[in-house]
Each structure stands twice: as C-alpha cells, then as structure tokens.
Amino acid sequence: MRQLIIVGNWKMHKTVTETLEFLVELKEKLSNTAVEVVVSPPFTALAAAAEVLKGSPIALAAQNMHWKKQGAFTGEISSAMLKELGCKYVILGHSERRQYFSETDDHVNKKVKSALESELIPIVCVGESLEQRETGATEATVEKQINGALAGLSPEQAAGIVIAYEPVWAIGTGKTASDEDAQQVNGYIRKVIACRFGNTVAEAVRIQYGGSVKPANAQGLMAQPDIDGALVGGASLKMHDFVGIIQNVL
Ligand code: PEP
C-alpha cells in the first residue's frame, strides 16, 4: 500500500514570521493523520520551519537546489545544505523552473542524483503544456521527462522517489484535470516506470497529481488507483483549504 502524500508548494510566498504563524496552527490541526503531509516554504524560511516542526509528523521540502555540492555558483543552494537544515524532500523540475529558469531534463537528472546522494527524496515534476495536450503529445512529453529525470538511477533509488504529474495548463489556472484524465496519465507514468525499472519499482513509486487541487476536487482525484497524493500550490497557502484537502482525502 502506498501512503498518500500531500505537499504544499508555497513558491515565493510567506516571510519567516508568516511561516511560523502558519505552521504553529497547522501542527495543532494535524497532530495525527494517516496522510503524509509536507510543506515547502521558500529557502529563507526553511530553518525556522524545521525548528517549529520538530516532533511533528509534518515534513519539510525545499523547492529547488543546485546539483553541485558546493562551489562558485552565486545564489545557489546545495542538497547537503538542505539536508542539514532538516529537509526530507526536494521538489525538482517544477514547470515554473523549466519555464522561467530554463531547466532541462538533464539539469533535473543531475539534481535528482545529487539529492539522492544527500539522502533527500526528490519530488520530480512532469507535465505537458496546453499545446502538447491539444496535439496529442501528452504521453510522449511525460515519458521523455521521466526517462530524462531518472536516467542512470538504480531500481532501489527509483523506488523511493516521488513523481508529481502536473499538467502545465492546470497550474495556478483554476482548471483541474478530470479524475479520469489525471488517472490516465498517472497510470501511463507507472507503465513507463515499469518498463524501465520493473513492476516492483513501479508499484512502490508514489505518483501525485498537481494543478489547481482544492478541497472540492481532492477526494475524487485521490480516489484514483494511480494517484497517490497531491502537489498543491495556491490552496496550500490558506489554512482552511490546505487542511480541507487533507481531511477530504482521509
Ligand atoms: C504547483 O505549483 O505545483 C501547483 C500545482 O499550483 P496550483 O495548485 O496553484 O495549481
């Protein structure tokens, strides 16, 4: 049985003070849940978040990292730095990173390997643009992204990662993939992983859906056999909505 994993990606939102206020309340509300809950504040708030989350089941994720462990890369952060701060996960290859910061599948692959070396669990984001969907290129797009991101991994390494299927046209737009469409792509991703790493790995990997998830649509999406959780953007910034999503899928 794969445990559901709900991750709140805060993007460039919340100061340290706002992070602490939010997490103190979230911790009280979610002291005991069967779903794995993860929050991903900006880099500046990770240390404070780790401190306030000590002893709570809520885990911490970073939103990005560089693949080198150290060096002359002004403005960058390494996997070792994130691990020391208390992160368990790191989100890699988010479509905003691909779109605005020119991240390629090769960059994502290097980051995945570096994260694993530092014992961070990568949450690898994949998903098609509206044009790719409309031209029937959804499966080819996610297959290429998965094969690129996971190149060179052993089956043991692949089994532990998390994948987030996030159709780009659904991120921050209020448009959500239907339960059936999301299930179809998540099922396809599991097949791609089975082809590359075998059935045991494919059955172990958790595959989330992301794209305008909210309390009203979370239950239907999470009930799909190949959807093992959600990567939540906008709704994770509001206590009522984030807690609502978690409670609705229990
Ligand atoms: C995201 O940023 O990963 C995301 C899914 O955003 P939203 O939930 O706002 O669509």
Side-chain angles (χ1 to χ4, degrees):
M1 263 302 267
R2 299 180 294 266
Q3 188 190 24
L4 288 179
I5 173 168
I6 310 276
V7 180
N9 172 18
W10 293 0
K11 314 191 185 195
M12 198 170 70
H13 292 284
K14 296 195 191 293
T15 63
V16 172
T17 309
E18 290 163 345
T19 296
L20 291 177
E21 268 170 27
F22 189 93
L23 291 182
V24 165
E25 195 180 335
L26 187 69
K27 210 166 96 161
E28 271 169 31
K29 288 190 165 21
L30 300 179
S31 57
N32 183 12
T33 161
V35 175
E36 184 172 8
V37 178
V38 183
V39 288
S40 189
F43 288 134
T44 46
L46 285 173
E51 192 58 33
V52 79
L53 292 178
K54 259 189 199 146
S56 115
I58 302 167
L60 204 54
Q63 298 175 19
N64 179 37
M65 49 167 256
H66 196 276
W67 58 84
K68 292 276 191 188
K69 290 283 157 35
Q70 57 185 26
F73 300 102
T74 302
E76 293 291 335
I77 304 255
S78 78
S79 56
M81 294 169 188
L82 297 174
K83 181 69 186 176
E84 193 190 60
L85 273 185
C87 290
K88 178 174 178 189
Y89 294 93
V90 58
I91 299 170
L92 296 175
H94 190 280
S95 66
E96 287 151 16
R97 301 288 322 164
R98 295 178 191 259
Q99 186 180 350
Y100 304 127
F101 302 96
S102 308
E103 272 193 21
T104 64
D105 291 333
D106 183 50
H107 294 147
V108 179
N109 180 241
K110 287 181 182 145
K111 291 180 183 202
V112 166
K113 288 175 176 160
S114 173
L116 290 169
E117 276 165 25
S118 295
E119 297 181 346
L120 286 173
I121 302 173
I123 300 170
V124 177
C125 303
V126 298
E128 82 286 1
S129 65
L130 186 58
E131 193 192 341
Q132 287 164 330
R133 172 153 286 260
E134 285 174 345
T135 55
T138 297
E139 291 187 351
T141 302
V142 297
E143 184 166 352
K144 183 172 166 290
Q145 290 171 330
I146 294 282
N147 282 328
L150 308 190
L153 262 58
S154 68
E156 293 71 28
Q157 287 176 317
I161 67 164
V162 176
I163 291 171
Y165 166 56
E166 297 208 301
V168 179
W169 49 269
I171 297 179
T173 58
K175 290 184 202 153
T176 316
S178 68
D179 298 347
E180 295 73 27
D181 284 348
Q183 162 57 29
Q184 192 271 325
V185 181
N186 276 37
Y188 184 73
I189 290 171
R190 207 176 294 287
K191 277 196 201 126
V192 170
I193 295 188
C195 275
R196 198 175 177 111
F197 298 103
N199 283 335
T200 311
V201 173
E203 284 308 311
V205 166
R206 291 186 289 178
I207 308 174
Q208 299 174 299
Y209 167 80
S212 300
V213 174
K214 37 191 176 266
N217 59 26
Q219 197 174 23
L221 287 161
M222 299 311 118
Q224 303 305 310
D226 287 302
I227 300 184
D228 307 314
L231 182 51
V232 186
S236 73
L237 296 168
K238 297 181 205 123
M239 184 64 63
H240 179 262
D241 287 351
F242 193 49
V243 171
I245 289 169
I246 294 159
Q247 284 171 346
N248 282 1
V249 302
L250 283 176

